[in-house]
Amino acid sequence: MLLLSFSYKESKWELTNLSPGRSSCLLVGRNSTGKTRTIHALQNVVSFMQMKQILLGGSTSFSAEMIFGDSEDIDYKMDYSFEVKDGFVDKELLSVNDTVLIKRTSKTAKYKSETINPPADKLIVQIRRDRDMYPEIEQLMTWAEGVICVSCSDINPYTIISPARFINPFSFSELVESLDADGRERVLENASKLDYNVTSISTLKANNSLKLVNIKEKQVSENIFDMQLSSGMLRTLYLLCFMQYIKNSSKVSLLLIDDMSEGLDYSRSTRLGKMIFEECGQNGLQVIASSNDAFLMDVVDISNWQILRRVGSKVSSINQHTNPELFRKFKMTGLTNFDFFSSDFIEKYLSKGE
């Protein structure tokens, strides 16, 4: 199942109609536009659906609307929305192909024609879990449980803060230990393509509670521990191991990457970005990444862009689906992708009301 549209609202911030598309998208926008906050909004919604702690200062009063599609059935459509007020569910609606399955208000709740009485602080999709009786609910919740996130700027050797987190949910050592021999070899091959001449990667137990990642580089006599790596090399190796973990996991439904290619030079930024997008495409995994990296923007086709614009506390998204003529005209200019973002081309087009 693929996320095709996402809207979110809380008291001081609103996102309307983010449209990731059917495979991958890159969130771009000027500083303070809302790229990271968009990732956090998705995290907040999924965290609530998973009955986990609301993360990163997420509000206890918010609403969300999501539209899903199917990778194999272009006509399939699932709409799911809910509203939470002060921690209690005020509204909830689920429909599949325009057939309403769940309709809930602050006073009544129904599944199809059956009147039900769910707990005030729980979603119906959380408490009606049965693969045979409620297959659509199970499909939705399986998607929610498979959303996983990496924040590149927050990657460090330990990275995990608490079991409730799904931002960088694994330490570097956990990812390395999850790989079989073929997975580690693949990581080394990809690292070599990025000009990191790593010949081995393994873990070493430092004490009862701490494991280090032990790295051997070609033509370097002494091994290097993860805490000694540059931030760029650490982030790259972490992401390469993370991608191998995902490749071997059937549970991951959506990969969120915040600050993609953060701290990397031109060559590595572009090659790593292409590598991740291609890996996700080959494995049928949807990815939503955010970045202001000019290098990365120039290698990700603008048809995969979501350009965020903020007016006050409201953030909207411009993409090829919502503004096809804007994208068509820019492609005819022959300018670089980054020019599309950095110039006044978009503002001039929108101001003319075309």
Side-chain angles (χ1 to χ4, degrees), residues 15 31 62 76 144 184 207 230 252 258 261 284 296 306 316 345:
L15 170 71
N31 290 337
F62 64 95
Y76 179 87
R184 294 193 189 199
N207 56 45
S230 67
V252 179
D258 193 26
S261 296
L296 184 61
Q306 295 282 318
S316 59
F345 185 90

Side-chain angles (χ1 to χ4, degrees), residues 6-152:
F6 175 69
S7 296
Y8 178 89
K9 184 177 182 180
E10 55 185 58
S11 60
K12 296 181 181 180
W13 191 79
E14 181 178 358
L15 170 71
T16 58
N17 295 324
L18 181 74
S19 306
R22 289 187 165 266
S23 56
S24 59
C25 80
L26 184 68
L27 303 180
V28 302
R30 301 183 185 280
N31 290 337
S32 300
T33 301
K35 299 182 297 300
T36 293
R37 196 159 185 176
T38 295
I39 298 290
H40 289 177
L42 273 163
Q43 294 165 356
N44 191 44
V45 169
V46 173
S47 176
F48 187 84
M49 292 175 69
Q50 293 178 357
M51 292 188 286
K52 292 181 178 179
Q53 175 185 356
I54 295 177
L55 303 176
L56 300 169
S59 174
T60 56
S61 297
F62 64 95
S63 63
E65 181 177 355
M66 295 169 282
I67 299 175
F68 299 92
D70 188 285
S71 58
E72 298 179 356
D73 183 358
I74 196 169
D75 295 321
Y76 179 87
K77 180 185 177 185
M78 175 186 285
D79 291 73
Y80 180 63
S81 61
F82 65 89
E83 183 175 352
V84 176
K85 290 185 177 180
D86 298 322
F88 296 98
V89 180
D90 194 61
K91 295 178 182 178
E92 187 176 5
L93 183 67
L94 173 66
S95 66
V96 176
N97 294 334
D98 297 323
T99 299
V100 176
L101 301 179
I102 292 174
K103 187 173 182 178
R104 177 182 186 175
T105 67
S106 59
K107 297 180 180 180
T108 63
K110 284 190 175 185
Y111 177 79
K112 295 184 177 179
S113 59
E114 175 191 2
T115 299
I116 57 178
N117 188 26
D121 62 341
K122 297 288 190 298
L123 297 167
I124 294 173
V125 296
Q126 293 169 335
I127 60 174
R128 295 268 167 155
R129 297 290 302 270
D130 188 300
R131 197 178 302 275
D132 295 324
M133 294 183 64
Y134 312 110
E136 297 88 358
I137 291 178
E138 193 64 24
Q139 185 180 22
L140 174 64
M141 293 303 289
T142 298
W143 172 86
E145 291 169 353
V147 178
I148 198 165
C149 177
V150 174
S151 173
C152 293

Side-chain angles (χ1 to χ4, degrees), residues 85-269:
K85 290 185 177 180
D86 298 322
F88 296 98
V89 180
D90 194 61
K91 295 178 182 178
E92 187 176 5
L93 183 67
L94 173 66
S95 66
V96 176
N97 294 334
D98 297 323
T99 299
V100 176
L101 301 179
I102 292 174
K103 187 173 182 178
R104 177 182 186 175
T105 67
S106 59
K107 297 180 180 180
T108 63
K110 284 190 175 185
Y111 177 79
K112 295 184 177 179
S113 59
E114 175 191 2
T115 299
I116 57 178
N117 188 26
D121 62 341
K122 297 288 190 298
L123 297 167
I124 294 173
V125 296
Q126 293 169 335
I127 60 174
R128 295 268 167 155
R129 297 290 302 270
D130 188 300
R131 197 178 302 275
D132 295 324
M133 294 183 64
Y134 312 110
E136 297 88 358
I137 291 178
E138 193 64 24
Q139 185 180 22
L140 174 64
M141 293 303 289
T142 298
W143 172 86
E145 291 169 353
V147 178
I148 198 165
C149 177
V150 174
S151 173
C152 293
S153 59
D154 293 328
I155 291 174
N156 59 63
Y158 317 110
T159 209
I160 187 169
I161 294 178
S162 71
R165 285 181 66 94
F166 57 82
I167 305 169
N168 301 351
F170 306 107
S171 67
F172 193 15
S173 60
E174 285 178 307
L175 286 176
V176 172
E177 289 190 332
S178 74
L179 304 177
D180 57 19
D182 289 340
R184 294 193 189 199
E185 186 61 32
R186 180 68 173 163
V187 167
L188 298 181
E189 289 176 0
N190 286 335
S192 178
K193 292 176 182 177
L194 298 170
D195 298 327
Y196 290 118
N197 294 316
V198 179
T199 58
S200 71
I201 184 168
S202 60
T203 59
L204 178 67
K205 191 172 184 178
N207 56 45
N208 290 336
S209 60
L210 177 63
K211 288 183 179 179
L212 303 176
V213 176
N214 192 22
I215 294 161
K216 173 66 176 175
E217 285 188 285
K218 189 177 181 180
Q219 297 179 338
V220 177
S221 58
E222 295 184 359
N223 287 10
I224 304 172
F225 293 116
D226 44 16
M227 63 183 65
Q228 298 172 304
L229 297 174
S230 67
S231 59
M233 185 174 183
L234 174 61
R235 289 167 183 163
T236 299
L237 292 177
Y238 184 95
L239 283 171
L240 293 180
C241 290
F242 199 93
M243 293 307 298
Q244 286 304 305
Y245 167 81
I246 287 175
K247 189 175 182 179
N248 296 325
S249 173
S250 59
K251 297 181 179 180
V252 179
S253 58
L254 170 64
L255 173 61
L256 304 173
I257 306 178
D258 193 26
D259 287 331
M260 190 173 181
S261 296
E262 176 74 12
L264 296 180
D265 57 52
Y266 170 79
S267 179
R268 288 181 174 128
S269 174

